């Protein structure tokens, strides 16, 4: 296993962090773990939250149901279509409020 920064194979074990072995490069002094853990949410979770938003659920409702922060969901919405205005989201909300007001 080479150093991810300089490619050297001169490594030294350097303790544990969160139950995983740490290594230190003797050449560049960088500390790292053997394998990187994936960060963030899966693409499936992202698509589910975006679909919930398109169906008219509020960000707080999505947060409650999925456990994913509403600020994260909000940033996904902005990344998906940064040119869209908030009018599209209001149309969905107004339509769902209309359905609730007439008893559907």
């Amino acid at each position: 296993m080479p150093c991810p920064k300089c490619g050297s194979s001169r490594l030294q074990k350097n303790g544990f962090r969160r139950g995983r072995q740490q290594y230190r490069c003797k050449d560049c002094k960088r500390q790292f773990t053997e394998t990187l853990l994936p960060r963030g949410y899966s693409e499936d979770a992202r698509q589910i939250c975006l679909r919930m938003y398109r169906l008219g659920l509020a960000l707080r409702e999505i947060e409650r149901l999925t456990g994913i922060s509403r600020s994260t969901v909000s940033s996904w919405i902005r990344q998906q279509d940064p040119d869209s205005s908030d009018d599209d989201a209001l149309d969905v909300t107004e339509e769902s409020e209309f359905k609730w007001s007439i008893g559907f």
Side-chain angles (χ1 to χ4, degrees), residues 29-54:
K29 311 293 189 232
R30 174 157 185 206
Q31 181 171 314
F32 59 95
T33 58
E34 186 173 8
T35 57
L36 295 174
L37 293 176
R39 299 181 80 183
Y41 295 101
S42 69
E43 184 61 26
D44 290 338
R46 183 177 187 266
Q47 291 303 320
I48 288 170
C49 290
L50 291 173
R51 193 172 301 130
M52 290 171 134
Y53 179 75
R54 278 188 240 114

PDB file of all heavy atoms in Angstrom, residues 29-54:
ATOM      1  N   LYS A  29       5.550  12.510   5.809  1.00  0.00           N
ATOM      2  CA  LYS A  29       4.959  12.664   7.156  1.00  0.00           C
ATOM      3  C   LYS A  29       3.429  12.731   7.154  1.00  0.00           C
ATOM      4  O   LYS A  29       2.829  13.133   8.133  1.00  0.00           O
ATOM      5  CB  LYS A  29       5.494  13.913   7.874  1.00  0.00           C
ATOM      6  CG  LYS A  29       6.983  14.069   7.871  1.00  0.00           C
ATOM      7  CD  LYS A  29       7.649  13.006   8.689  1.00  0.00           C
ATOM      8  CE  LYS A  29       9.141  13.338   8.825  1.00  0.00           C
ATOM      9  NZ  LYS A  29       9.991  12.264   8.469  1.00  0.00           N
ATOM     10  N   ARG A  30       2.812  12.348   6.068  1.00  0.00           N
ATOM     11  CA  ARG A  30       1.352  12.355   6.016  1.00  0.00           C
ATOM     12  C   ARG A  30       0.798  11.170   6.790  1.00  0.00           C
ATOM     13  O   ARG A  30       1.328  10.061   6.716  1.00  0.00           O
ATOM     14  CB  ARG A  30       0.876  12.287   4.573  1.00  0.00           C
ATOM     15  CG  ARG A  30      -0.635  12.146   4.538  1.00  0.00           C
ATOM     16  CD  ARG A  30      -1.242  12.589   3.299  1.00  0.00           C
ATOM     17  NE  ARG A  30      -2.685  12.513   3.441  1.00  0.00           N
ATOM     18  CZ  ARG A  30      -3.497  12.351   2.444  1.00  0.00           C
ATOM     19  NH1 ARG A  30      -3.025  12.284   1.225  1.00  0.00           N
ATOM     20  NH2 ARG A  30      -4.784  12.288   2.648  1.00  0.00           N
ATOM     21  N   GLN A  31      -0.293  11.394   7.522  1.00  0.00           N
ATOM     22  CA  GLN A  31      -0.965  10.327   8.244  1.00  0.00           C
ATOM     23  C   GLN A  31      -2.254   9.986   7.515  1.00  0.00           C
ATOM     24  O   GLN A  31      -2.978  10.871   7.064  1.00  0.00           O
ATOM     25  CB  GLN A  31      -1.282  10.776   9.673  1.00  0.00           C
ATOM     26  CG  GLN A  31      -1.958   9.685  10.484  1.00  0.00           C
ATOM     27  CD  GLN A  31      -2.061  10.050  11.946  1.00  0.00           C
ATOM     28  OE1 GLN A  31      -1.114  10.517  12.531  1.00  0.00           O
ATOM     29  NE2 GLN A  31      -3.234   9.842  12.515  1.00  0.00           N
ATOM     30  N   PHE A  32      -2.550   8.693   7.378  1.00  0.00           N
ATOM     31  CA  PHE A  32      -3.741   8.261   6.641  1.00  0.00           C
ATOM     32  C   PHE A  32      -4.159   6.880   7.096  1.00  0.00           C
ATOM     33  O   PHE A  32      -3.434   6.199   7.822  1.00  0.00           O
ATOM     34  CB  PHE A  32      -3.466   8.264   5.124  1.00  0.00           C
ATOM     35  CG  PHE A  32      -2.331   7.361   4.711  1.00  0.00           C
ATOM     36  CD1 PHE A  32      -2.573   6.068   4.283  1.00  0.00           C
ATOM     37  CD2 PHE A  32      -1.022   7.823   4.748  1.00  0.00           C
ATOM     38  CE1 PHE A  32      -1.536   5.245   3.908  1.00  0.00           C
ATOM     39  CE2 PHE A  32       0.022   7.004   4.370  1.00  0.00           C
ATOM     40  CZ  PHE A  32      -0.233   5.712   3.944  1.00  0.00           C
ATOM     41  N   THR A  33      -5.353   6.460   6.684  1.00  0.00           N
ATOM     42  CA  THR A  33      -5.836   5.113   6.969  1.00  0.00           C
ATOM     43  C   THR A  33      -5.709   4.265   5.709  1.00  0.00           C
ATOM     44  O   THR A  33      -5.581   4.788   4.600  1.00  0.00           O
ATOM     45  CB  THR A  33      -7.310   5.119   7.416  1.00  0.00           C
ATOM     46  OG1 THR A  33      -8.078   5.721   6.408  1.00  0.00           O
ATOM     47  CG2 THR A  33      -7.487   5.854   8.728  1.00  0.00           C
ATOM     48  N   GLU A  34      -5.785   2.967   5.897  1.00  0.00           N
ATOM     49  CA  GLU A  34      -5.614   2.050   4.766  1.00  0.00           C
ATOM     50  C   GLU A  34      -6.712   2.208   3.726  1.00  0.00           C
ATOM     51  O   GLU A  34      -6.452   2.292   2.536  1.00  0.00           O
ATOM     52  CB  GLU A  34      -5.577   0.613   5.269  1.00  0.00           C
ATOM     53  CG  GLU A  34      -5.267  -0.403   4.205  1.00  0.00           C
ATOM     54  CD  GLU A  34      -5.072  -1.786   4.780  1.00  0.00           C
ATOM     55  OE1 GLU A  34      -5.312  -1.984   5.973  1.00  0.00           O
ATOM     56  OE2 GLU A  34      -4.671  -2.663   4.010  1.00  0.00           O
ATOM     57  N   THR A  35      -7.947   2.265   4.173  1.00  0.00           N
ATOM     58  CA  THR A  35      -9.057   2.413   3.233  1.00  0.00           C
ATOM     59  C   THR A  35      -9.887   3.618   3.635  1.00  0.00           C
ATOM     60  O   THR A  35     -10.078   3.898   4.813  1.00  0.00           O
ATOM     61  CB  THR A  35      -9.972   1.176   3.233  1.00  0.00           C
ATOM     62  OG1 THR A  35     -10.451   0.963   4.566  1.00  0.00           O
ATOM     63  CG2 THR A  35      -9.239  -0.051   2.752  1.00  0.00           C
ATOM     64  N   LEU A  36     -10.397   4.320   2.659  1.00  0.00           N
ATOM     65  CA  LEU A  36     -11.263   5.467   2.910  1.00  0.00           C
ATOM     66  C   LEU A  36     -12.700   5.003   2.997  1.00  0.00           C
ATOM     67  O   LEU A  36     -13.139   4.158   2.217  1.00  0.00           O
ATOM     68  CB  LEU A  36     -11.118   6.495   1.799  1.00  0.00           C
ATOM     69  CG  LEU A  36      -9.766   7.163   1.671  1.00  0.00           C
ATOM     70  CD1 LEU A  36      -9.742   8.051   0.442  1.00  0.00           C
ATOM     71  CD2 LEU A  36      -9.456   7.973   2.906  1.00  0.00           C
ATOM     72  N   LEU A  37     -13.430   5.569   3.929  1.00  0.00           N
ATOM     73  CA  LEU A  37     -14.851   5.266   4.034  1.00  0.00           C
ATOM     74  C   LEU A  37     -15.627   6.184   3.103  1.00  0.00           C
ATOM     75  O   LEU A  37     -15.268   7.356   2.946  1.00  0.00           O
ATOM     76  CB  LEU A  37     -15.339   5.477   5.470  1.00  0.00           C
ATOM     77  CG  LEU A  37     -14.785   4.526   6.518  1.00  0.00           C
ATOM     78  CD1 LEU A  37     -15.287   4.933   7.901  1.00  0.00           C
ATOM     79  CD2 LEU A  37     -15.201   3.101   6.220  1.00  0.00           C
ATOM     80  N   PRO A  38     -16.672   5.678   2.476  1.00  0.00           N
ATOM     81  CA  PRO A  38     -17.476   6.560   1.632  1.00  0.00           C
ATOM     82  C   PRO A  38     -18.166   7.617   2.491  1.00  0.00           C
ATOM     83  O   PRO A  38     -18.619   7.329   3.596  1.00  0.00           O
ATOM     84  CB  PRO A  38     -18.490   5.617   0.984  1.00  0.00           C
ATOM     85  CG  PRO A  38     -18.517   4.418   1.853  1.00  0.00           C
ATOM     86  CD  PRO A  38     -17.183   4.318   2.513  1.00  0.00           C
ATOM     87  N   ARG A  39     -18.224   8.827   1.983  1.00  0.00           N
ATOM     88  CA  ARG A  39     -18.839   9.922   2.720  1.00  0.00           C
ATOM     89  C   ARG A  39     -20.126  10.346   2.033  1.00  0.00           C
ATOM     90  O   ARG A  39     -20.283  10.183   0.833  1.00  0.00           O
ATOM     91  CB  ARG A  39     -17.880  11.103   2.782  1.00  0.00           C
ATOM     92  CG  ARG A  39     -16.593  10.760   3.494  1.00  0.00           C
ATOM     93  CD  ARG A  39     -15.695  11.941   3.568  1.00  0.00           C
ATOM     94  NE  ARG A  39     -16.158  12.777   4.678  1.00  0.00           N
ATOM     95  CZ  ARG A  39     -15.628  13.922   4.998  1.00  0.00           C
ATOM     96  NH1 ARG A  39     -14.641  14.416   4.296  1.00  0.00           N
ATOM     97  NH2 ARG A  39     -16.095  14.610   6.009  1.00  0.00           N
ATOM     98  N   GLY A  40     -21.013  10.906   2.811  1.00  0.00           N
ATOM     99  CA  GLY A  40     -22.239  11.434   2.250  1.00  0.00           C
ATOM    100  C   GLY A  40     -23.333  10.381   2.125  1.00  0.00           C
ATOM    101  O   GLY A  40     -23.213   9.256   2.610  1.00  0.00           O
ATOM    102  N   TYR A  41     -24.393  10.765   1.462  1.00  0.00           N
ATOM    103  CA  TYR A  41     -25.550   9.904   1.277  1.00  0.00           C
ATOM    104  C   TYR A  41     -25.500   9.237  -0.094  1.00  0.00           C
ATOM    105  O   TYR A  41     -24.884   9.745  -1.027  1.00  0.00           O
ATOM    106  CB  TYR A  41     -26.841  10.720   1.393  1.00  0.00           C
ATOM    107  CG  TYR A  41     -27.040  11.294   2.777  1.00  0.00           C
ATOM    108  CD1 TYR A  41     -26.738  12.626   3.042  1.00  0.00           C
ATOM    109  CD2 TYR A  41     -27.516  10.512   3.814  1.00  0.00           C
ATOM    110  CE1 TYR A  41     -26.917  13.151   4.312  1.00  0.00           C
ATOM    111  CE2 TYR A  41     -27.698  11.032   5.081  1.00  0.00           C
ATOM    112  CZ  TYR A  41     -27.391  12.354   5.326  1.00  0.00           C
ATOM    113  OH  TYR A  41     -27.570  12.860   6.571  1.00  0.00           O
ATOM    114  N   SER A  42     -26.159   8.102  -0.195  1.00  0.00           N
ATOM    115  CA  SER A  42     -26.192   7.389  -1.468  1.00  0.00           C
ATOM    116  C   SER A  42     -27.046   8.157  -2.480  1.00  0.00           C
ATOM    117  O   SER A  42     -27.870   9.010  -2.120  1.00  0.00           O
ATOM    118  CB  SER A  42     -26.776   5.987  -1.276  1.00  0.00           C
ATOM    119  OG  SER A  42     -28.157   6.075  -0.974  1.00  0.00           O
ATOM    120  N   GLU A  43     -26.855   7.842  -3.734  1.00  0.00           N
ATOM    121  CA  GLU A  43     -27.637   8.475  -4.794  1.00  0.00           C
ATOM    122  C   GLU A  43     -29.112   8.106  -4.659  1.00  0.00           C
ATOM    123  O   GLU A  43     -29.993   8.914  -4.971  1.00  0.00           O
ATOM    124  CB  GLU A  43     -27.092   8.051  -6.163  1.00  0.00           C
ATOM    125  CG  GLU A  43     -27.759   8.717  -7.335  1.00  0.00           C
ATOM    126  CD  GLU A  43     -27.619  10.237  -7.353  1.00  0.00           C
ATOM    127  OE1 GLU A  43     -26.649  10.763  -6.794  1.00  0.00           O
ATOM    128  OE2 GLU A  43     -28.506  10.901  -7.934  1.00  0.00           O
ATOM    129  N   ASP A  44     -29.399   6.899  -4.167  1.00  0.00           N
ATOM    130  CA  ASP A  44     -30.792   6.486  -3.960  1.00  0.00           C
ATOM    131  C   ASP A  44     -31.483   7.381  -2.931  1.00  0.00           C
ATOM    132  O   ASP A  44     -32.624   7.808  -3.138  1.00  0.00           O
ATOM    133  CB  ASP A  44     -30.870   5.032  -3.497  1.00  0.00           C
ATOM    134  CG  ASP A  44     -30.494   4.056  -4.590  1.00  0.00           C
ATOM    135  OD1 ASP A  44     -30.589   4.440  -5.771  1.00  0.00           O
ATOM    136  OD2 ASP A  44     -30.121   2.921  -4.264  1.00  0.00           O
ATOM    137  N   ALA A  45     -30.794   7.672  -1.816  1.00  0.00           N
ATOM    138  CA  ALA A  45     -31.369   8.533  -0.783  1.00  0.00           C
ATOM    139  C   ALA A  45     -31.623   9.926  -1.346  1.00  0.00           C
ATOM    140  O   ALA A  45     -32.657  10.545  -1.071  1.00  0.00           O
ATOM    141  CB  ALA A  45     -30.436   8.612   0.420  1.00  0.00           C
ATOM    142  N   ARG A  46     -30.697  10.410  -2.143  1.00  0.00           N
ATOM    143  CA  ARG A  46     -30.841  11.729  -2.756  1.00  0.00           C
ATOM    144  C   ARG A  46     -32.068  11.775  -3.668  1.00  0.00           C
ATOM    145  O   ARG A  46     -32.883  12.699  -3.606  1.00  0.00           O
ATOM    146  CB  ARG A  46     -29.576  12.055  -3.546  1.00  0.00           C
ATOM    147  CG  ARG A  46     -29.557  13.408  -4.173  1.00  0.00           C
ATOM    148  CD  ARG A  46     -28.204  13.630  -4.853  1.00  0.00           C
ATOM    149  NE  ARG A  46     -28.072  14.976  -5.335  1.00  0.00           N
ATOM    150  CZ  ARG A  46     -28.362  15.368  -6.568  1.00  0.00           C
ATOM    151  NH1 ARG A  46     -28.786  14.494  -7.450  1.00  0.00           N
ATOM    152  NH2 ARG A  46     -28.239  16.618  -6.921  1.00  0.00           N
ATOM    153  N   GLN A  47     -32.214  10.756  -4.517  1.00  0.00           N
ATOM    154  CA  GLN A  47     -33.344  10.724  -5.449  1.00  0.00           C
ATOM    155  C   GLN A  47     -34.679  10.596  -4.719  1.00  0.00           C
ATOM    156  O   GLN A  47     -35.689  11.180  -5.128  1.00  0.00           O
ATOM    157  CB  GLN A  47     -33.176   9.576  -6.454  1.00  0.00           C
ATOM    158  CG  GLN A  47     -32.032   9.795  -7.424  1.00  0.00           C
ATOM    159  CD  GLN A  47     -32.172  11.079  -8.213  1.00  0.00           C
ATOM    160  OE1 GLN A  47     -33.260  11.442  -8.644  1.00  0.00           O
ATOM    161  NE2 GLN A  47     -31.057  11.770  -8.391  1.00  0.00           N
ATOM    162  N   ILE A  48     -34.710   9.837  -3.631  1.00  0.00           N
ATOM    163  CA  ILE A  48     -35.943   9.689  -2.850  1.00  0.00           C
ATOM    164  C   ILE A  48     -36.352  11.037  -2.264  1.00  0.00           C
ATOM    165  O   ILE A  48     -37.515  11.432  -2.329  1.00  0.00           O
ATOM    166  CB  ILE A  48     -35.759   8.633  -1.740  1.00  0.00           C
ATOM    167  CG1 ILE A  48     -35.701   7.239  -2.373  1.00  0.00           C
ATOM    168  CG2 ILE A  48     -36.869   8.716  -0.705  1.00  0.00           C
ATOM    169  CD1 ILE A  48     -35.281   6.144  -1.419  1.00  0.00           C
ATOM    170  N   CYS A  49     -35.379  11.767  -1.697  1.00  0.00           N
ATOM    171  CA  CYS A  49     -35.690  13.084  -1.120  1.00  0.00           C
ATOM    172  C   CYS A  49     -36.157  14.060  -2.190  1.00  0.00           C
ATOM    173  O   CYS A  49     -37.113  14.819  -1.967  1.00  0.00           O
ATOM    174  CB  CYS A  49     -34.461  13.640  -0.397  1.00  0.00           C
ATOM    175  SG  CYS A  49     -34.071  12.748   1.112  1.00  0.00           S
ATOM    176  N   LEU A  50     -35.522  14.049  -3.344  1.00  0.00           N
ATOM    177  CA  LEU A  50     -35.938  14.946  -4.422  1.00  0.00           C
ATOM    178  C   LEU A  50     -37.338  14.599  -4.919  1.00  0.00           C
ATOM    179  O   LEU A  50     -38.144  15.480  -5.213  1.00  0.00           O
ATOM    180  CB  LEU A  50     -34.934  14.898  -5.578  1.00  0.00           C
ATOM    181  CG  LEU A  50     -33.562  15.509  -5.285  1.00  0.00           C
ATOM    182  CD1 LEU A  50     -32.599  15.243  -6.430  1.00  0.00           C
ATOM    183  CD2 LEU A  50     -33.682  16.988  -5.007  1.00  0.00           C
ATOM    184  N   ARG A  51     -37.636  13.315  -4.987  1.00  0.00           N
ATOM    185  CA  ARG A  51     -38.973  12.891  -5.412  1.00  0.00           C
ATOM    186  C   ARG A  51     -40.026  13.332  -4.384  1.00  0.00           C
ATOM    187  O   ARG A  51     -41.105  13.794  -4.755  1.00  0.00           O
ATOM    188  CB  ARG A  51     -39.004  11.374  -5.577  1.00  0.00           C
ATOM    189  CG  ARG A  51     -40.233  10.873  -6.297  1.00  0.00           C
ATOM    190  CD  ARG A  51     -40.163   9.403  -6.633  1.00  0.00           C
ATOM    191  NE  ARG A  51     -39.005   9.111  -7.471  1.00  0.00           N
ATOM    192  CZ  ARG A  51     -38.120   8.142  -7.212  1.00  0.00           C
ATOM    193  NH1 ARG A  51     -38.258   7.377  -6.155  1.00  0.00           N
ATOM    194  NH2 ARG A  51     -37.103   7.928  -8.014  1.00  0.00           N
ATOM    195  N   MET A  52     -39.692  13.204  -3.089  1.00  0.00           N
ATOM    196  CA  MET A  52     -40.619  13.651  -2.045  1.00  0.00           C
ATOM    197  C   MET A  52     -40.885  15.149  -2.173  1.00  0.00           C
ATOM    198  O   MET A  52     -42.021  15.601  -2.021  1.00  0.00           O
ATOM    199  CB  MET A  52     -40.041  13.357  -0.656  1.00  0.00           C
ATOM    200  CG  MET A  52     -39.978  11.910  -0.293  1.00  0.00           C
ATOM    201  SD  MET A  52     -39.057  11.726   1.233  1.00  0.00           S
ATOM    202  CE  MET A  52     -40.108  10.604   2.103  1.00  0.00           C
ATOM    203  N   TYR A  53     -39.832  15.911  -2.462  1.00  0.00           N
ATOM    204  CA  TYR A  53     -39.987  17.361  -2.615  1.00  0.00           C
ATOM    205  C   TYR A  53     -40.882  17.691  -3.809  1.00  0.00           C
ATOM    206  O   TYR A  53     -41.749  18.549  -3.725  1.00  0.00           O
ATOM    207  CB  TYR A  53     -38.615  18.012  -2.772  1.00  0.00           C
ATOM    208  CG  TYR A  53     -38.691  19.506  -2.948  1.00  0.00           C
ATOM    209  CD1 TYR A  53     -38.964  20.338  -1.867  1.00  0.00           C
ATOM    210  CD2 TYR A  53     -38.515  20.084  -4.192  1.00  0.00           C
ATOM    211  CE1 TYR A  53     -39.053  21.706  -2.027  1.00  0.00           C
ATOM    212  CE2 TYR A  53     -38.598  21.449  -4.361  1.00  0.00           C
ATOM    213  CZ  TYR A  53     -38.867  22.262  -3.277  1.00  0.00           C
ATOM    214  OH  TYR A  53     -38.954  23.612  -3.441  1.00  0.00           O
ATOM    215  N   ARG A  54     -40.668  16.974  -4.922  1.00  0.00           N
ATOM    216  CA  ARG A  54     -41.492  17.206  -6.114  1.00  0.00           C
ATOM    217  C   ARG A  54     -42.951  16.841  -5.873  1.00  0.00           C
ATOM    218  O   ARG A  54     -43.852  17.401  -6.507  1.00  0.00           O
ATOM    219  CB  ARG A  54     -40.947  16.418  -7.298  1.00  0.00           C
ATOM    220  CG  ARG A  54     -39.804  17.132  -7.975  1.00  0.00           C
ATOM    221  CD  ARG A  54     -39.406  16.441  -9.261  1.00  0.00           C
ATOM    222  NE  ARG A  54     -38.007  16.050  -9.115  1.00  0.00           N
ATOM    223  CZ  ARG A  54     -37.551  14.814  -9.061  1.00  0.00           C
ATOM    224  NH1 ARG A  54     -38.356  13.805  -9.200  1.00  0.00           N
ATOM    225  NH2 ARG A  54     -36.276  14.570  -8.909  1.00  0.00           N
TER     226      ARG A  54
END
